[in-house]
Amino acid sequence: MSNSRKMKIFLLLLLFLCEAQSRATSRPNFIVLIADDLGIGDPGCYGNKTLRTPSLDALAKGGVKLTQHLAASPLCTPSRASLMTGRYSIRSGIASRSRVGVFLFSASSGGLPSSEITFAKLLKTQGYATALIGKWHLGIHCHSKTDFCHHPLNHGFDYFHGLPVTNLRDCKPGQGTVFTSAIRLLVFIPLQVIAIALLTLAVLKWLGLCHVPPAVFFCLVFLAALILASLLCFLHYFRPLNCFLFRNYDITQQPLSYDNLTQRLTEDASQFIRRNAERPFLLVMSYLQVHTALFASKDFAGKSQHGIYGDAVEEMDWSVGQIMNVLEELSLANDTLIYFTSDQGAHVEEVSSRGEVHGGSNGIYKGGKANNWEGGIRVPGLLRWPGVLQAGLEIHEPTSNMDIFPTVVKLAGSPLPEDRIIDGRDLMPLLLGKRQRSEHEFLFHYCNFYLNAVRWHPPNNSLMTSAKWPGHVLDTSNC
């Protein structure tokens, strides 16, 4: 071979390496896909043989699968706060001391503090178009219904279309209520006490053992009627006051309709990508599925082997595929980092008002949503960036959903905030093979305000240890 031919081959190789390096260091688009209550045992790429998830399987085949990916919390609100900020939710105050660890009402005054910095805020300063489509669940208002202090548009997103609170059984007629325990405590027990009091007083008066003024009977009956009326008002008005869709600051559907809901949100996500195809963008697609109330459009209803839960999973997977197709159509696939995860494990104890099991699968792991056993916090973690991340790679090191914050921020060219602790770690060295071990030596697992367990991954060996505090291991009702 002549020297000139060797030189040409050398220059071509050098050009190829330079191009690959520039792509690895260029600013990609970002699509963050968040399922709600999807178990690690649900996708086919994590071992499920009966649920059809071809889009998620394609993500895993064409990218990186994290096998020890962990949610920072086993509940929606704190887990999402940690993902958005790269910090344990207890640092931002999204950690309840009570048994209820999430926002249930649109009128709740709490939310992600304005002082917290989301990756959307930092990407916006770098010229990214930013959108959140789907579920927010990190608060809306502070002091009035017009301040929108916790709204996504005040946390770095240019565009929001979705549900500001969360998807509950109470939002879908005929699916029961999540307030059964509260209704029993605040309605049924007081009514029973009033009924016993009325009966006892009536018997005593009839026997002539005491004089009971008619006003006492009237007051007790009036109190019972007031309690019943309050219950009826709550059940009647909860849905329109808490289950609605926003587009930016405007309510577009009240109460929300589940008809083709995933398809409508997917189309909106596709349109956002098309509008911003010529500039860098961040899309957070936060699915309502597969949180109860479960729903699926006519195209998917009754098609899976796992009832309405399976239908919902397969429709969500279809949505992921639609977004991937848009990237291919616009020739953006190689310039886009896709990240898919779930906010926590499957709610395996979820049963409908008709006794149907509505929870998913956490595979071999014990526990589920709302507790810190492995099934509650080990979640799917898939990343794809063609030409940069090795296709089909599996990483067995412990990682956290908090890690997406520093990963995205650094790739976008923004410095990390220096005025606060960032608990997440940049995933790129691990994904690119520059590091063989996770940077997390310790991962702390909180149940609301309380430290539940610590995972230790010693830097000098492959041992991994978890320690739990028996006094703080809370059951599902407490976390």
Side-chain angles (χ1 to χ4, degrees), residues 233-278:
C233 286
F234 174 80
L235 295 176
H236 179 74
Y237 288 109
F238 178 88
R239 184 167 173 250
L241 291 178
N242 296 279
C243 309
F244 50 85
L245 293 181
F246 263 148
R247 180 173 275 111
N248 294 331
Y249 294 119
D250 300 319
I251 294 176
T252 59
Q253 193 174 57
Q254 186 179 23
L256 70 86
S257 168
Y258 289 93
D259 293 340
N260 299 320
L261 180 55
T262 298
Q263 296 182 6
R264 285 183 278 141
L265 295 178
T266 302
E267 176 59 27
D268 202 16
S270 300
Q271 291 302 320
F272 171 80
I273 296 173
R274 296 181 192 278
R275 289 195 304 270
N276 295 282
E278 301 300 322

Side-chain angles (χ1 to χ4, degrees), residues 286-327:
S286 181
Y287 291 100
L288 278 65
Q289 292 163 321
V290 283
H291 195 294
T292 51
L294 293 174
F295 63 95
S297 66
K298 292 180 181 179
D299 293 339
F300 294 90
K303 301 294 178 63
S304 78
Q305 298 182 39
H306 295 276
I308 183 63
Y309 182 87
D311 299 342
V313 172
E314 293 185 0
E315 182 171 29
M316 182 192 65
D317 181 83
W318 165 86
S319 173
V320 173
Q322 293 298 111
I323 292 173
M324 293 167 63
N325 290 342
V326 172
L327 294 177

